[in-house]
Amino acid sequence: MQKTTLYAYIRFIGKDDIDDFPLEVVTERLGVQPTETWRVGDRINNIVSRAYSFTCWKYESERLETLDADDVLLPILNVFESKTDIINQLKEELNLDVQIELVITMIDGYTPGLVILPEFSRFASSINAFIDIDMYV
């Protein structure tokens, strides 16, 4: 039986007219291996011939069957909270935006709690990140 699942990710994308940036610089400076990257022009998949219109560096948490957003947000915080200065330097040097995404897939009406802890809010604010919540039913 399927259950409600959540995952979260942080991603770096170009800001304004910046479509491409050196992914290896982000990886090296953060000291974190991304779970996914793509460059502008890369094919989205092998079925459709569409290509990405922007470059992206992405780190994703594990997908969990849970009703607690902290279960997927705190792993992001644990990896990146100590890297706020580096993140802000990368944003400035490479003209990047940072987005934090919480993705919820609800099954049978089981809705998770959407409480964001103050320490996570402070982290997101310290890097001036967008926070986006996607919900799928």
Side-chain angles (χ1 to χ4, degrees), residues 5 28 34 41 46 56 59-60 64 66 70 72 88-89 103-104 112 119 126:
T5 60
E28 181 181 313
N46 291 329
C56 176
Y59 180 89
E60 188 174 300
L64 298 175
T66 182
D70 286 341
V72 296
N88 287 322
Q89 290 166 5
V103 181
I104 302 165
E119 54 266 31
S126 72

Side-chain angles (χ1 to χ4, degrees), residues 37-83:
T37 62
W38 63 80
R39 299 197 87 89
V40 63
D42 287 352
R43 287 183 58 168
I44 292 174
N45 62 41
N46 291 329
I47 299 168
V48 180
S49 62
R50 291 183 27 215
Y52 287 107
S53 59
F54 60 95
T55 294
C56 176
W57 186 102
K58 180 176 172 182
Y59 180 89
E60 188 174 300
S61 72
E62 182 180 0
R63 293 172 195 248
L64 298 175
E65 291 180 351
T66 182
L67 296 177
D68 188 351
D70 286 341
D71 290 346
V72 296
L73 290 173
L74 289 180
I76 300 292
L77 180 69
N78 291 339
V79 171
F80 292 96
E81 184 177 33
S82 65
K83 301 174 186 311

